[in-house]
Amino acid sequence: MPASQAAALTSSLAAKLGLTNWRQNIIYIGFVVIFIVFAVTLFDKGFLNPNNLLNIVRQTAMIAVMAIAMTYVLSAGEIDLSVGAVAGLASVTTAMAIDAGGPVTGVMAGLATGVGVGTFNGLLTTRIGIPSFLTTLAMMGIATGTAMWISDTAAVPIISKSYSWIFGGGNAGPVPVLLIWMLVLGAVGHVVLRRTSFGRRVLATGGGEIAARYSGIDTKSIKFRVLIISAMAAALAGMLYAGRLQSGRFQLGQGDELSVIAAAVLGGTSLFGGSGTVIGTIVGALMIGLINNGLILMGLEFSQQLIARGTIIILAVALSQGRK
């Protein structure tokens, strides 16, 4: 058999077996492998206990909510480093507004915080031309400082049981409300990105801004809107934090921006724009939570946990992003 025919036959067989796109599915493969390893090695430590598995969901739901929106930001060729700080600020403004006017007022205040921050980030990035990296880096400090200032660095308690149940603290039977939030937002995010003209314009903007502009896409408007979406998702995450912990604190969400970006990139979203997957992002967020939980149950010291977690994430990202 000629070499060319042998190569063609091998390529065809690999395609039928799904071996040519294994990198695209590495996050799912990695999630299953890590889950099985932890399930076997930590079986006697309660890893498979339903309460432990639900706790993983509770601990990663807010990361997943922010990462869903970050998928849009990265797909459009931008980045948002302020999400963790905005979550903390929104938790404080929500708690203060609930204390002053009730749950509805609190929800409106939290969402208004996200809209305000997103508008500020979007205007500076798209109208003045400051790179989103610098805009949102500055906003990180502004949001944290504002939250510390208006709360006097103290926790603001939330006494509304209805708010706490809806926003993170409740369970619908055995199902945590946080899981419902994550699944609903994930479904909406996936459909919008893959099935609507807005989603296609986001991907086109990140894939080639000049080409997208020549094809009639208002790329500045797209970037402005994804930054608002990101800030609103961060504000919602802060409201969920506040509901789960029954208080608003400026520390909530601190450092989450790194986990949020890692979850999106682990899931297959490109840091350079043009491609993204919401489902992969959610699995990436759950994978980070899975790793954190497993390493804690192993009894590793915190320093060892950081090393192991970083190594696993680097390997997963290298494999998933290598095709790009």
Side-chain angles (χ1 to χ4, degrees), residues 72-141:
Y72 283 76
V73 176
L74 294 177
S75 295
E78 300 295 337
I79 196 167
D80 188 350
L81 300 177
S82 66
V83 289
V86 173
L89 175 59
S91 76
V92 171
T93 57
T94 299
M96 295 178 70
I98 290 175
D99 183 56
V104 175
T105 304
V107 171
M108 293 175 63
L111 294 177
T113 300
V115 172
V117 171
T119 300
F120 184 81
N121 288 341
L123 288 176
L124 290 182
T125 299
T126 62
R127 306 304 173 187
I128 298 180
I130 302 175
S132 58
F133 178 89
L134 296 177
T135 299
T136 57
L137 182 63
M139 178 53 68
M140 182 194 302

Side-chain angles (χ1 to χ4, degrees), residues 49-305:
N49 186 291
N51 288 332
N52 182 61
L53 297 179
L54 290 177
N55 278 334
I56 293 175
V57 172
R58 292 187 183 98
Q59 292 163 5
T60 58
M62 281 69 78
I63 297 295
V65 167
M66 290 186 278
I68 290 167
M70 186 64 73
T71 300
Y72 283 76
V73 176
L74 294 177
S75 295
E78 300 295 337
I79 196 167
D80 188 350
L81 300 177
S82 66
V83 289
V86 173
L89 175 59
S91 76
V92 171
T93 57
T94 299
M96 295 178 70
I98 290 175
D99 183 56
V104 175
T105 304
V107 171
M108 293 175 63
L111 294 177
T113 300
V115 172
V117 171
T119 300
F120 184 81
N121 288 341
L123 288 176
L124 290 182
T125 299
T126 62
R127 306 304 173 187
I128 298 180
I130 302 175
S132 58
F133 178 89
L134 296 177
T135 299
T136 57
L137 182 63
M139 178 53 68
M140 182 194 302
I142 293 172
T144 299
T146 301
M148 294 175 68
W149 177 36
I150 63 177
S151 66
D152 198 23
T153 69
V156 182
I158 295 176
I159 60 175
S160 172
K161 293 183 178 180
S162 60
Y163 175 88
S164 295
W165 191 92
I166 296 172
F167 287 88
N171 294 290
V175 180
V177 170
L178 284 172
L179 176 59
I180 297 174
W181 276 103
M182 183 174 67
L183 294 178
V184 170
L185 292 174
V188 172
H190 173 74
V191 170
V192 171
L193 187 63
R194 291 297 176 188
R195 305 293 183 185
T196 68
S197 61
F198 174 71
R200 289 190 289 270
R201 283 179 285 166
V202 168
L203 296 172
T205 297
E209 185 174 355
I210 295 177
R213 195 180 301 126
Y214 276 120
S215 66
I217 297 174
D218 186 348
T219 56
K220 288 185 177 181
S221 174
I222 293 296
K223 293 185 176 186
F224 180 79
R225 290 160 71 181
V226 297
L227 286 171
I228 289 182
I229 291 172
S230 179
M232 290 188 67
L236 176 58
M239 294 160 65
L240 294 173
Y241 270 128
R244 185 184 178 208
L245 300 176
Q246 297 184 350
S247 64
R249 310 174 193 178
F250 76 89
Q251 301 100 324
L252 297 179
Q254 216 167 53
D256 279 358
E257 56 279 347
L258 300 180
S259 296
V260 168
I261 294 171
V265 175
L266 273 172
T269 299
S270 173
L271 277 170
F272 306 104
S275 65
T277 164
V278 169
I279 295 176
T281 292
I282 294 174
V283 175
L286 291 173
M287 183 174 176
I288 291 175
L290 193 70
I291 294 171
N292 291 339
N293 182 266
L295 295 177
I296 291 172
L297 291 179
M298 282 183 176
L300 298 181
E301 295 181 3
F302 183 67
S303 57
Q304 296 171 326
Q305 293 177 32

Side-chain angles (χ1 to χ4, degrees), residues 5 19-20 26 42 47 69 97 126 156 175 195 200 303 307 312:
Q5 292 183 3
L19 300 178
T20 57
I26 190 63
L42 300 173
F47 176 79
T126 62
V156 182
V175 180
R195 305 293 183 185
R200 289 190 289 270
S303 57
I307 295 171
I312 294 172

Side-chain angles (χ1 to χ4, degrees), residues 299-320:
L300 298 181
E301 295 181 3
F302 183 67
S303 57
Q304 296 171 326
Q305 293 177 32
L306 292 176
I307 295 171
R309 182 166 64 238
T311 301
I312 294 172
I313 290 176
I314 287 174
L315 289 173
V317 170
L319 289 171
S320 65

